[in-house]
């Protein structure tokens, strides 16, 4: 008998609890894990205009150069992490395609591409009370006026380092958390949600 490898998300055991929270809130607060997101860390020189153009052509969208912003094309996105660092993300199974696109864009220029897909899992927090929930644990202002559409930030959620991304004009946030802290963050969200729901 040969054992088969089974992929399992970091928060697979939380799916039912997250679904119960969504149901009990009447849709005002929804938490779900986005499984197996493709994530690549890119380091490159943003002052090299030709390189930035090549990367934009290879990815089919330009990397964001303004601090804490996000650019995208369809289901692929790039989050600004520092002046010469980005997190390039896409759906499950796109790691190799994204890596090849970034290699084509670098075209021998100095830079680095690291597949960090297994390093983090992603939680989507959605609904009218999403910002209230996150405000319990993060020190940054998540109001639309200061953290609007297509913004991102590296911060602490309680005691866990996370990257938070605001998606479009909806009240929706994606929280990128290291897999080693996933259970801690999942429990924190469920505990904090109980107080948010009763407001």
């Amino acid at each position: 008998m040969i054992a088969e490898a089974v992929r399992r998300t970091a928060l697979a055991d939380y799916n039912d609890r997250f679904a119960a929270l969504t149901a009990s809130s009447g849709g005002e607060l929804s938490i779900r894990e986005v499984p197996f997101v493709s994530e690549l860390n890119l380091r490159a020189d943003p002052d090299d205009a030709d390189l930035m153009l090549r990367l934009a052509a290879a990815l089919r969208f330009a990397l964001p150069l303004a601090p804490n912003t996000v650019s995208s094309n369809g289901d692929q996105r790039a989050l600004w992490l520092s002046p010469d660092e980005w997190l390039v993300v896409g759906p499950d199974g796109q790691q190799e395609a994204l890596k090849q696109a970034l290699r084509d864009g670098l075209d021998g220029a100095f830079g680095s591409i690291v597949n960090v897909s297994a390093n983090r899992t992603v939680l989507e927090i959605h609904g009218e009370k999403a910002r209230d929930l996150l405000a319990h644990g993060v020190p940054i202002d998540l109001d639309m006026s200061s953290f609007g559409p297509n913004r991102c930030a590296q911060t602490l959620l309680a005691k866990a380092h996370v990257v938070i991304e605001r998606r479009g004009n909806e009240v929706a946030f994606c929280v990128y958390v290291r897999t080693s802290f996933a259970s801690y963050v999942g429990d924190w969200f469920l505990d904090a949600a109980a107080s948010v729901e009763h407001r």
Side-chain angles (χ1 to χ4, degrees):
M1 189 175 217
I2 299 174
E4 290 186 27
V6 177
R7 288 202 305 172
R8 185 175 172 81
T9 67
L11 291 169
D13 293 337
Y14 287 72
N15 288 339
D16 290 343
R17 294 165 71 189
F18 289 156
L21 169 65
T22 302
S24 68
S25 75
E28 289 187 327
L29 181 60
S30 169
I31 303 175
R32 74 177 186 97
E33 184 180 21
V34 183
F36 309 117
V37 172
S38 300
E39 303 177 44
L40 289 99
N41 185 274
L42 170 68
R43 302 295 294 258
D45 181 3
D47 295 325
D48 185 334
D50 289 338
L51 172 58
M52 291 296 105
L53 286 173
R54 289 199 309 272
L55 285 165
L59 286 170
R60 298 191 303 277
F61 65 94
L63 293 170
L65 298 180
N68 296 2
T69 58
V70 180
S71 61
S72 65
N73 178 27
D75 54 12
Q76 295 179 347
R77 315 174 69 72
L79 286 68
W80 185 98
L81 298 182
S82 76
D84 67 348
E85 183 180 12
W86 298 267
L87 183 64
V88 181
V89 301
D92 180 24
Q94 292 191 0
Q95 294 94 324
E96 291 306 315
L98 285 170
K99 185 188 291 185
Q100 189 58 56
L102 294 172
R103 280 183 181 154
D104 292 345
L106 284 178
D107 192 27
F110 181 76
S112 110
I113 304 162
V114 180
N115 184 351
V116 294
S117 302
N119 188 35
R120 296 185 187 95
T121 191
V122 180
L123 283 164
E124 183 182 82
I125 317 298
H126 189 272
E128 292 178 16
K129 294 186 176 180
R131 186 174 67 86
D132 293 339
L133 175 63
L134 286 168
H136 274 276
V138 300
I140 60 175
D141 184 0
L142 297 175
D143 187 76
M144 186 68 85
S145 61
S146 56
F147 196 80
N150 300 315
R151 298 285 308 223
C152 64
Q154 298 183 76
T155 187
L156 287 176
L157 173 67
K159 296 181 180 179
H161 180 271
V162 298
V163 178
I164 297 180
E165 174 194 5
R166 185 166 209 151
R167 291 278 176 98
N169 288 308
E170 300 178 38
V171 186
F173 301 87
C174 284
V175 179
Y176 298 75
V177 58
R178 294 187 187 281
T179 53
S180 56
F181 281 91
S183 293
Y184 167 79
V185 168
D187 287 333
W188 185 90
F189 273 135
L190 289 167
D191 288 343
S195 63
V196 169
E197 275 192 289
H198 293 103
R199 279 182 163 185

